[in-house]
Amino acid sequence: MDQREHPELKLSSHGRKVQKLGRSVPTIEGLVVGTGLSPLIACSVDTGDRRLISSFVERWHGETSSFHLPVGEVTITLDDMAPLLHLPIIGNFHTFQPLHVDEAVLMLVYLLLVSADATRVETGHCHGPYVRLSWLRDIYQCKCQAKHWTAATRAYLLLLLLGCTLFANKSETHVRVVFLDALRDCSKSDKCIGSRK
């Protein structure tokens, strides 16, 4: 196998980060259930079978977005993911538009009730419209202590469900602030991403 074509596979898991967060408080669990995203809480994988994953990576063809297996070409669709993640696939697709850092700061201030100075420092540290998972965990714990349940729920969903499960990235430490936009209406669970209609 050519190393230039297939670099060494690195498996990443956010399982320990999720465990550090601990179990959410009952008030937040109720809000998370209302979004329809609660099945993702159990989707954190701590370990992976390197050989199995490597086999799939070797058979992945990006140009066709499919796996070329001995039984033929296989594509994974949303209908395939729904039973795996136990999520309903309903409603319109959500398109995330890129954010400028200033927009990210405003979104964090408004939706997570964090000071503008603190968010500027954090986005500056991350060199863009991102926040560290550890920073988000601290915000979550702070909002729980202050009993700001909607802001705590948004931080929890952004950290645990979006940042560590659905939209985990290669950085292993950051999450894009733009995903917070999908959680804007979490106090009205029928308007939040993933909500059941």
Side-chain angles (χ1 to χ4, degrees):
M1 177 170 63
D2 185 1
Q3 283 298 104
R4 288 174 287 146
E5 188 175 329
H6 296 286
E8 182 181 342
L9 180 65
K10 178 182 176 189
L11 298 180
S12 297
S13 172
H14 293 293
R16 288 190 196 113
K17 292 174 187 160
V18 171
Q19 287 172 350
K20 274 187 186 178
L21 187 60
R23 184 176 162 87
S24 64
V25 296
T27 305
I28 289 177
E29 286 180 6
L31 290 169
V32 172
V33 167
T35 67
L37 296 173
S38 58
L40 290 179
I41 294 170
C43 285
S44 176
V45 179
D46 288 324
T47 59
D49 183 334
R50 181 180 280 284
R51 288 180 301 193
L52 176 65
I53 294 171
S54 291
S55 294
F56 276 109
V57 168
E58 289 172 8
R59 288 167 177 81
W60 176 254
H61 289 263
E63 55 280 347
T64 59
S65 297
S66 60
F67 294 100
H68 291 217
L69 303 174
V71 296
E73 189 172 332
V74 178
T75 300
I76 298 174
T77 67
L78 282 175
D79 290 329
D80 297 321
M81 293 308 299
L84 293 173
L85 296 177
H86 307 288
L87 292 176
I89 307 297
I90 57 173
N92 296 325
F93 286 111
H94 189 89
T95 303
F96 295 103
Q97 300 298 323
L99 285 182
H100 185 272
V101 174
D102 294 336
E103 295 169 309
V105 167
L106 289 174
M107 192 177 288
L108 289 163
V109 168
Y110 178 71
L111 296 175
L112 294 185
L113 309 177
V114 183
S115 76
D117 290 340
T119 58
R120 279 191 199 92
V121 168
E122 180 60 21
T123 55
H125 179 78
C126 295
H127 306 290
Y130 308 94
V131 292
R132 290 172 294 159
L133 296 173
S134 59
W135 183 83
L136 205 50
R137 183 182 62 240
D138 293 342
I139 296 302
Y140 165 73
Q141 291 168 343
C142 178
K143 296 306 166 192
C144 284
Q145 289 173 353
K147 298 186 180 183
H148 292 142
W149 301 122
T150 302
T153 301
R154 287 183 186 121
Y156 180 81
L157 288 169
L158 184 61
L159 169 65
L160 175 65
L161 303 183
L162 300 180
C164 289
T165 305
L166 283 183
F167 302 121
N169 64 24
K170 292 180 187 177
S171 77
E172 298 184 35
T173 58
H174 295 73
V175 63
R176 292 173 43 195
V177 174
V178 70
F179 300 140
L180 192 55
D181 186 49
L183 307 173
R184 183 177 297 277
D185 294 325
C186 274
S187 58
K188 303 172 195 138
S189 63
D190 62 322
K191 302 285 186 196
C192 189
I193 187 172
S195 63
R196 300 172 197 264
K197 305 235 183 212

